[in-house]
Amino acid sequence: MINIKRLSITISFVLLIALIGFYVWIQDHYVVPILMYHSISSSDTRPLFVIGSPQKYKLRLNSVSPRSFEWQMGYLKKNGFHVISLDDFVQGNRGGQEFPHKTVVITFDDGFVDNYTNAFPILKRYHFPATIFLISDAVGRYPYLLNWDQVKEMSQNDISFGSHTRNHAYVPSLSIDQMKDEIIMSKHVIEEHLGKPIYDFAYPGGGFNEQAKAIIALAGYRSALSTNRGYDRYNIDLYELDRIHINNWDNAFTFTSKLSGFYNLFRFLKPSQ
């Protein structure tokens, strides 16, 4: 006859060992969350990038309200998160550095003017560094995007800049010559305006391939950031770094989950192309 008490004790012991094993395993798989923002605005619309012919469309997923962004940055500060620059992350990664838990990197794609008007004052108040990826040929051409004076001012206050191609081109759809033009020339344009080198690239739409990675490396970039494309959950390959998309639908629970450092382990990853 089965001893119910002994069976329950055995099951409890096995579960405890399993939980301890899982805890030990997951601690070794911590990945510094690289947060990805776009527009910091209360508007329900943002521009669709058709260079030379901008259109408007509803896309709440790519915007975060200033109020939410303020709360999120305040949460990082109050809860002891160490916000580091993308450059510090890349250099540490190259050197095999193990980052402590509660380390986070902040990035923005596209270069919306509200990154300057709404996000920049908040980042300055908390002394948080961030990186903004610019569409080089669109800077200063549209009222909803940053201009070069704003870019220069931000670059003197802990905001670094990287390339998001010349024309927001989806990289896998390009020929090799087009890739070189979008990747290399955008770097030259931004460096010329800033008067200093840039080292980081972000793939529009997150799409990339091996040819693009090779061109990016040869052009002198030290990193290339995707969205949640590819299959490197641990961000070992610096030319296909996964990021975590923050949007206006994030509440306190989802935001803190995305900051855990284990979000990459369990989320669905898309093919790179």
Side-chain angles (χ1 to χ4, degrees), residues 98-119:
E98 289 191 15
F99 294 95
H101 291 205
K102 288 193 169 184
T103 300
V104 66
V105 176
I106 298 172
T107 68
F108 297 81
D109 279 6
D110 302 330
F112 287 101
V113 69
D114 55 50
N115 293 175
Y116 175 82
T117 57
N118 295 334

Side-chain angles (χ1 to χ4, degrees), residues 10-22:
T10 300
I11 292 173
S12 298
F13 179 76
V14 170
L15 288 174
L16 177 62
I17 295 298
L19 285 172
I20 293 173
F22 178 73

Side-chain angles (χ1 to χ4, degrees), residues 130-151:
T131 298
I132 299 175
F133 293 99
L134 299 173
I135 305 161
S136 65
D137 289 16
V139 177
R141 289 182 59 185
Y142 307 109
Y144 52 81
L145 295 179
L146 293 166
N147 61 46
W148 289 115
D149 287 338
Q150 293 164 333
V151 169

Side-chain angles (χ1 to χ4, degrees), residues 32-35 83-94 99 104-109 129-133 158-163 199-202 222-225 235 238 241-243:
V32 173
I34 304 175
L35 306 185
V83 180
I84 65 172
S85 68
L86 178 58
D87 183 61
D88 284 345
F89 171 78
V90 170
Q91 296 294 351
N93 199 312
R94 283 182 180 273
F99 294 95
V104 66
V105 176
I106 298 172
T107 68
F108 297 81
D109 279 6
T131 298
I132 299 175
F133 293 99
D158 288 332
I159 307 299
S160 62
F161 291 88
S163 168
Y199 297 109
D200 307 298
F201 182 89
R222 294 174 182 167
S223 74
L225 286 69
N235 277 349
L238 291 173
L241 293 172
D242 288 327
R243 287 182 291 171

Side-chain angles (χ1 to χ4, degrees), residues 25-46:
W25 176 83
I26 202 170
Q27 296 306 304
D28 289 335
H29 292 80
Y30 176 82
V31 177
V32 173
I34 304 175
L35 306 185
M36 178 180 64
Y37 291 92
H38 288 82
S39 174
I40 306 301
S41 170
S42 298
S43 173
D44 284 353
T45 63
R46 79 172 183 89

Side-chain angles (χ1 to χ4, degrees), residues 8-269:
S8 63
I9 292 173
T10 300
I11 292 173
S12 298
F13 179 76
V14 170
L15 288 174
L16 177 62
I17 295 298
L19 285 172
I20 293 173
F22 178 73
Y23 177 80
V24 171
W25 176 83
I26 202 170
Q27 296 306 304
D28 289 335
H29 292 80
Y30 176 82
V31 177
V32 173
I34 304 175
L35 306 185
M36 178 180 64
Y37 291 92
H38 288 82
S39 174
I40 306 301
S41 170
S42 298
S43 173
D44 284 353
T45 63
R46 79 172 183 89
L48 170 64
F49 285 110
V50 180
I51 298 302
S53 179
Q55 302 172 22
K56 295 280 189 176
Y57 75 116
K58 286 185 176 293
L59 192 62
R60 293 183 65 90
L61 287 176
N62 274 356
S63 65
V64 172
S65 72
R67 180 177 180 180
S68 293
F69 186 73
E70 171 76 64
W71 180 88
Q72 291 167 1
M73 297 302 102
Y75 180 90
L76 295 177
K77 190 71 172 182
K78 292 174 186 176
N79 289 275
F81 281 83
H82 183 43
V83 180
I84 65 172
S85 68
L86 178 58
D87 183 61
D88 284 345
F89 171 78
V90 170
Q91 296 294 351
N93 199 312
R94 283 182 180 273
Q97 177 181 348
E98 289 191 15
F99 294 95
H101 291 205
K102 288 193 169 184
T103 300
V104 66
V105 176
I106 298 172
T107 68
F108 297 81
D109 279 6
D110 302 330
F112 287 101
V113 69
D114 55 50
N115 293 175
Y116 175 82
T117 57
N118 295 334
F120 183 41
I122 297 170
L123 293 168
K124 281 201 299 185
R125 189 182 321 134
Y126 290 112
H127 304 287
F128 287 165
T131 298
I132 299 175
F133 293 99
L134 299 173
I135 305 161
S136 65
D137 289 16
V139 177
R141 289 182 59 185
Y142 307 109
Y144 52 81
L145 295 179
L146 293 166
N147 61 46
W148 289 115
D149 287 338
Q150 293 164 333
V151 169
K152 290 174 184 177
E153 179 185 344
M154 297 171 81
S155 72
Q156 296 171 358
N157 290 274
D158 288 332
I159 307 299
S160 62
F161 291 88
S163 168
H164 205 37
T165 71
R166 292 182 61 185
N167 299 292
H168 203 257
Y170 186 66
V171 173
S173 69
L174 304 177
S175 68
I176 296 298
D177 286 342
Q178 289 172 325
M179 280 188 198
K180 290 179 180 178
D181 181 62
E182 290 284 344
I183 292 168
I184 297 172
M185 292 308 298
S186 61
K187 188 176 193 293
H188 292 336
V189 169
I190 296 169
E191 289 177 339
E192 183 178 350
H193 281 278
L194 288 180
K196 57 185 176 182
I198 64 165
Y199 297 109
D200 307 298
F201 182 89
Y203 302 102
F208 61 91
N209 54 31
E210 292 302 315
Q211 292 95 331
K213 289 170 59 177
I215 293 168
I216 287 165
L218 288 172
Y221 293 98
R222 294 174 182 167
S223 74
L225 286 69
S226 182
T227 50
N228 62 331
R229 303 295 187 108
Y231 299 100
D232 182 7
R233 294 180 181 273
Y234 307 113
N235 277 349
I236 296 170
D237 188 336
L238 291 173
Y239 292 101
E240 54 177 275
L241 293 172
D242 288 327
R243 287 182 291 171
I244 299 173
H245 191 184
I246 306 299
N247 57 62
N248 218 36
W249 292 359
D250 281 313
N251 54 32
F253 174 76
T254 59
F255 183 68
T256 54
S257 298
K258 290 178 176 182
L259 291 172
S260 67
F262 308 112
Y263 186 75
N264 276 9
L265 288 177
F266 304 108
R267 68 174 176 171
F268 173 74
L269 298 182

